[in-house]
Amino acid sequence: MRVDDFCDYDNSFPDEFYACLPRECPDCGAPMEMSEALTQLHCSNPKCPSKVVQRMVAMAADLGVKDLGEARATKLVSEFGLDNPLLLFSYEPDKDGVPEGMSFDVANGIVSQLNAKRRMTLAEYVKLAHLPFIQTSSQALFGGYDTLDEAYAALEEGGLGYVCRKLDISADSDVSVRAARVYETLKMFKSDLYQCIDFVEIIKMHSAEMVHLTAVCSDEVGFPFKTKADFYATVNNLYQNLHVEFLGALTRNCDYLVWAGADGSPARLTNKVKKARAYNEKYEEHKASGTLKEGEHEIKIVSAKQFLYILEQLVK
Ligand SMILES: [Zn+2]
């Protein structure tokens, strides 16, 4: 609901309250909106510069790109009038210049970090865009495709029903509000996704040569990676024919658990490690007694360095 409308029609609060509510966004001047529960105010412009900045910062964090916090993202967005954070992938400081107050060193540093992380799956690309409501649905909606053309063809042909099916939402329940939001958002930001797709390299997941693995990381993965984000993006930029899907939680289907302590280095014994060890004990028991279930396998616990070595052997 527009703050304007709320102030005009509601009368359950003192006048001073309505008077202090912002009716226009301080960043772009678009009308402000209020959430249904009246707990949040937000700008109604989906491409409000402040949202673009927040999305760019989140993107950088996801990729483990350092030196791109809110202050620098604000400079880039306002200097170049960006309305799509993915445009960061097209940024060439030598050609485009640098915003006032940012050095070429910093700008080139950001770009060279990005360059090392341009390879990703289509679902990762869509997730990286940080579109509203799409974060958790990207894999379900885009994981089956290698091109935006194919994914959007399926989406547009299947409409809302397709979104509900893919996201496992029953179409007649209240939750389908979520499906509608997802659908509208993907339609609205379609051109943004297309605009930058050629600046990244989409991994062809659905080709026969692809080696596909699943892994989970414990809180520390080990030297030389400081953050998990850095590790994820680095791994998936190493080889053309390899993709590692990093899961948030450990399940039996996982191939590897990456943990700093796996090579004997001091590291916190996390719940994921305990869980993997418990799975592996069960696996050994089943193997010894000849009662292995279909697909049951050992979850190999390795350090980041060991994991990279294994990958190297796999793709040889
Ligand atoms: Zn705004």
Side-chain angles (χ1 to χ4, degrees):
M1 164 180 15
R2 293 247 165 122
V3 172
D4 260 342
D5 295 338
F6 172 73
C7 294
D8 289 348
Y9 298 113
D10 190 273
N11 52 15
S12 40
F13 300 98
D15 285 350
E16 296 77 24
F17 175 74
Y18 301 106
C20 74
L21 286 177
R23 297 182 182 221
E24 283 169 6
C25 170
D27 293 305
C28 73
M32 292 295 282
E33 286 176 346
M34 194 172 240
S35 64
E36 276 159 55
L38 309 183
T39 49
Q40 268 183 331
L41 289 174
H42 56 260
C43 170
S44 60
N45 174 8
K47 297 196 174 182
C48 176
S50 70
K51 293 181 190 175
V52 176
V53 166
Q54 293 312 322
R55 289 168 56 206
M56 187 179 283
V57 171
M59 237 176 82
D62 279 1
L63 291 170
V65 169
K66 290 181 269 298
D67 309 318
L68 185 54
E70 194 172 329
R72 285 186 178 135
T74 304
K75 279 185 182 152
L76 285 167
V77 167
S78 62
E79 173 84 19
F80 299 115
L82 305 183
D83 61 359
N84 177 2
L86 292 168
L87 283 167
L88 191 61
F89 283 111
S90 72
Y91 180 39
E92 295 176 58
D94 289 338
K95 219 177 80 197
D96 303 324
V98 288
E100 211 184 302
M102 190 188 288
S103 71
F104 270 95
D105 272 358
V106 166
N108 284 324
I110 291 169
V111 170
S112 74
Q113 292 178 71
L114 279 172
N115 281 342
K117 287 157 183 183
R118 274 174 208 270
R119 266 172 61 77
M120 59 190 82
T121 67
L122 186 65
E124 285 166 349
Y125 171 71
V126 174
K127 185 165 188 245
L128 197 57
H130 282 269
L131 303 175
F133 317 114
I134 306 299
Q135 283 297 285
T136 53
S137 355
S138 174
Q139 183 59 35
L141 290 167
F142 291 86
Y145 305 99
D146 288 337
T147 66
L148 282 175
D149 283 351
E150 294 168 303
Y152 266 96
L155 183 75
E156 283 160 1
E157 205 183 292
L160 209 50
Y162 170 83
V163 175
C164 286
R165 262 195 323 281
K166 284 281 181 184
L167 301 185
D168 224 357
I169 304 176
S170 97
D172 47 48
S173 72
D174 288 344
V175 222
S176 68
V177 171
R178 185 179 148 227
R181 280 180 178 152
V182 166
Y183 188 61
E184 288 308 315
T185 301
L186 288 175
K187 276 206 301 197
M188 183 188 303
F189 288 96
K190 179 179 175 181
S191 57
D192 283 19
L193 293 172
Y194 269 94
Q195 186 179 24
C196 300
I197 191 89
D198 291 335
F199 297 111
V200 298
E201 191 193 332
I202 299 297
I203 302 172
K204 301 282 176 239
M205 290 293 288
H206 302 280
S207 75
E209 308 87 66
M210 224 36 218
V211 179
H212 186 84
L213 293 175
T214 54
V216 166
C217 292
S218 193
D219 54 356
E220 300 164 75
V221 297
F223 184 79
F225 301 98
K226 288 219 173 69
T227 66
K228 282 197 229 177
D230 185 18
F231 181 63
Y232 293 166
T234 302
V235 163
N236 277 320
N237 277 274
L238 286 175
Y239 307 106
Q240 293 287 331
N241 58 335
L242 170 96
H243 181 258
V244 180
E245 186 184 346
F246 287 101
L247 307 172
L250 188 87
T251 70
R252 268 179 201 286
N253 301 324
C254 223
D255 301 310
Y256 292 91
L257 172 68
V258 185
W259 175 52
D263 60 5
S265 305
R268 193 171 75 89
L269 190 65
T270 63
N271 283 332
K272 282 178 185 157
V273 177
K274 290 181 200 159
K275 206 168 156 188
R277 284 180 176 167
Y279 280 151
N280 288 342
E281 270 171 36
K282 277 268 177 290
Y283 165 80
E284 290 300 334
E285 271 172 37
H286 291 161
K287 201 168 99 177
S289 60
T291 54
L292 275 183
K293 291 176 201 130
E294 194 179 324
E296 195 173 356
H297 60 269
E298 184 189 354
I299 299 171
K300 299 197 178 64
I301 305 176
V302 296
S303 69
K305 229 172 159 179
Q306 291 167 333
F307 189 62
L308 294 181
Y309 178 75
I310 291 167
L311 297 181
E312 196 186 328
Q313 303 305 306
L314 267 175
V315 296
K316 253 185 191 168

